[in-house]
Amino acid sequence: MTNIAFGIQLFENLNLPNARREVIYKWSILFLTYISMASYHMVMKPLSVVKISQEFLECRTSVCSSWVSELDGQTEDTAKIYLGLLDTAFLVSMGVFLFVSGLVAGRVDLRLFLGVGMLGSGVLTIMFGLVYRAGIHSIWYLVIVQILSGVVQATGWPSVLRVITNWFGEGGRRLVMGAWFTHTCVGNILGAILAAGFADDNWGLSFIIPGVVMAVLGGIIFLFLVPDPSSVDLTPLLYVNEYRWDSASPSAASSSSSLTQFPSRRPSPVLTKMYNSKSSSDLMLSDSEFEPLLLSNNQVLGFGEAVKIPGIVEYSLCLLFTKSVVYTLMFWLPSYISDMCGLDAFSSAILSTMFDVGGIVGALLATTVAYQSGKTATTCLVMFLSSIPSMICYLFLQTTWCPLSQVDGVPIINTCYALHVTLLFLTGLFVTGPFALLMTAASEDLGAHQSKKSFVTISTIMNGAASIVAAAAP
């Protein structure tokens, strides 16, 4: 074992059995990649809360007063256009560099790539918050920080997906992806709560504290992440779908779902134990008990090949519109609640988290239903259609049906407040459910027939393209 993390070197000194080591490593991979992606979303959230801070932007009269000099003296609409520029700069930068990161992540040490990306993201978030302490009032400084933040944010998704792909087979990955994808909502909730605590009094800390947390977690990734089983002398999982044994003989094995076909081999695959395997669970696809069919970990599907895969354009378009809705709500829902309901920054941020609470349930529900039924597209369609009336109802809830009551920006907890919570929960459920499917299960469906590791490339293409177009939404 060479070039492994310092924390893992200490763990390896325990000399545990291989089977136990494998279980511990897999759980650690799920945990580390989960907190990694949650932290990426955590540092994206504070700006949506600080936008409604009276210290950052106050528009109680016909013109606004703002910390940012370019917004000072502008109308509210013009000021919000400037704020939208910050979101657009971030999303375009992240979308473009997602393509680059998707290529780079397959060719570098993922532990270093992800750790440095998280550290850089934390530092840039802190730099945004230091504007308050340093007395910087230029929006162009903030735009540059946002562009750089988008660059380092793009390191997250391709890296963690490749790590997951290295450690989990296709079937195993599908079972955990629904729960794992809730990191999006958990990160948004944490970011909103941390930002809300300081938005009205010292909005710089709304960025600094999440940034410090992000940098610390980047250090943990650097010390403990094992990006590939082979780096700790464990055999990587090489099967590409789920299989069952029909009898005690390996030659009688059959596939329980769609099977990847290899043109140069006979169409009668079986499961066989890998030579010199150190783990009892290391099974692989082969035509014969004695001739393993190896799938190289270094094979990476090119973008030119990926865009030719049937269905990728349709799924990408669906993700484009879904991500536009998700990111618009992520960046502007607290502001909408504040404007429409008259709540202060803290109360608006807390209420907006109900959307992400619903998103956690939606991600779990959608991926479970799609996995059990095998109908990813149908599941997406039903949830898409259900999201339309939920968003329309929430629009009319405040304006017509049951407006929130508040005293000095603090909501009165009554029936109307409960209805707001319920509709935000349902909206989050129906919007985030298909978003989770399109980012995970749909990418696997599209790549299932490929002999290369196409899942990461396909997901990166869909995510990157959607991010660039979604930049127009805020």
Side-chain angles (χ1 to χ4, degrees), residues 10 20 27 36 42 67-68 92 103 119 126 136 167 188 200 264 280 294 324 327 351 354 418 444 456:
L10 297 178
R20 189 173 180 184
W27 278 107
S36 172
M42 176 184 66
W67 177 272
V68 181
V92 171
L103 293 173
L119 178 62
I126 293 171
I136 299 173
W167 276 97
N188 289 341
D200 288 321
S264 60
S280 59
L294 297 178
S324 296
Y327 273 47
L351 180 56
M354 290 301 104
E444 291 194 16
V456 179

Side-chain angles (χ1 to χ4, degrees), residues 230-254:
S230 61
S231 61
V232 288
D233 292 340
L234 289 173
T235 305
L237 291 172
L238 298 176
Y239 54 85
V240 295
N241 224 314
E242 295 179 76
Y243 298 89
R244 62 176 181 268
W245 296 109
D246 288 339
S247 70
S249 170
S251 60
S254 63

Side-chain angles (χ1 to χ4, degrees), residues 425-436:
F425 177 89
L426 291 175
T427 302
L429 188 152
F430 292 131
V431 170
T432 308
F435 182 50

Side-chain angles (χ1 to χ4, degrees), residues 154-235:
T155 60
W157 185 250
S159 300
V160 296
L161 282 193
R162 200 164 291 280
V163 171
I164 291 288
T165 302
N166 289 342
W167 276 97
F168 294 90
E170 197 80 18
R173 188 171 63 229
R174 273 180 173 270
L175 287 174
V176 302
M177 277 308 239
W180 181 81
F181 193 79
T182 60
H183 62 72
T184 300
C185 300
V186 170
N188 289 341
I189 292 171
L190 290 175
I193 292 174
L194 288 175
F198 303 98
D200 288 321
D201 301 318
N202 187 348
W203 62 262
L205 291 177
S206 297
F207 294 92
I208 293 173
I209 291 178
V212 170
V213 173
M214 178 76 163
V216 170
L217 291 177
I220 292 175
I221 292 295
F222 180 78
L223 290 175
F224 293 101
L225 183 69
V226 181
D228 192 281
S230 61
S231 61
V232 288
D233 292 340
L234 289 173
T235 305

Side-chain angles (χ1 to χ4, degrees), residues 51-239:
K51 286 174 183 174
I52 53 179
S53 166
Q54 297 299 311
E55 282 195 340
F56 187 79
L57 177 66
E58 183 178 2
C59 296
R60 293 181 178 177
T61 61
S62 58
V63 294
C64 299
S65 61
S66 174
W67 177 272
V68 181
S69 57
E70 285 81 1
L71 276 62
D72 215 21
Q74 302 287 349
T75 63
E76 184 174 359
D77 290 341
T78 302
K80 289 189 174 180
I81 290 174
Y82 273 107
L83 291 179
L85 176 63
L86 296 177
D87 298 331
T88 300
F90 172 81
L91 287 173
V92 171
S93 174
M94 183 177 69
V96 171
F97 278 90
L98 270 170
F99 294 105
V100 178
S101 293
L103 293 173
V104 174
R107 295 165 172 82
V108 297
D109 186 328
L110 291 173
R111 177 174 63 91
L112 297 176
F113 189 62
L114 185 58
V116 171
M118 292 179 66
L119 178 62
S121 185
V123 169
L124 286 165
T125 304
I126 293 171
M127 288 177 63
F128 198 112
L130 288 176
V131 164
Y132 184 82
R133 295 287 183 181
I136 299 173
H137 299 275
S138 173
I139 194 172
W140 303 114
Y141 170 86
L142 299 180
V143 168
I144 291 173
V145 171
Q146 286 291 86
I147 292 173
L148 295 176
S149 295
V151 173
V152 292
Q153 280 275 342
T155 60
W157 185 250
S159 300
V160 296
L161 282 193
R162 200 164 291 280
V163 171
I164 291 288
T165 302
N166 289 342
W167 276 97
F168 294 90
E170 197 80 18
R173 188 171 63 229
R174 273 180 173 270
L175 287 174
V176 302
M177 277 308 239
W180 181 81
F181 193 79
T182 60
H183 62 72
T184 300
C185 300
V186 170
N188 289 341
I189 292 171
L190 290 175
I193 292 174
L194 288 175
F198 303 98
D200 288 321
D201 301 318
N202 187 348
W203 62 262
L205 291 177
S206 297
F207 294 92
I208 293 173
I209 291 178
V212 170
V213 173
M214 178 76 163
V216 170
L217 291 177
I220 292 175
I221 292 295
F222 180 78
L223 290 175
F224 293 101
L225 183 69
V226 181
D228 192 281
S230 61
S231 61
V232 288
D233 292 340
L234 289 173
T235 305
L237 291 172
L238 298 176
Y239 54 85

Side-chain angles (χ1 to χ4, degrees), residues 403-419:
L404 274 182
S405 301
Q406 52 85 23
V407 178
D408 295 329
V410 179
I412 298 174
I413 308 302
N414 53 21
T415 303
C416 287
Y417 188 84
L419 287 174

Side-chain angles (χ1 to χ4, degrees), residues 330-390:
M330 183 173 74
F331 289 132
W332 287 98
L333 182 57
S335 180
Y336 175 82
I337 292 173
S338 178
D339 290 344
M340 298 299 295
C341 306
L343 304 186
D344 58 25
F346 179 84
S347 300
S348 299
I350 297 302
L351 180 56
S352 72
T353 60
M354 290 301 104
F355 174 85
D356 290 299
V357 173
I360 293 174
V361 178
L364 293 171
L365 179 64
T367 50
T368 301
V369 171
Y371 178 76
Q372 295 294 333
S373 66
K375 299 183 182 298
T376 302
T378 302
T379 305
C380 285
L381 176 62
V382 170
M383 299 191 84
F384 278 144
L385 294 177
S386 301
S387 69
I388 297 172
S390 68

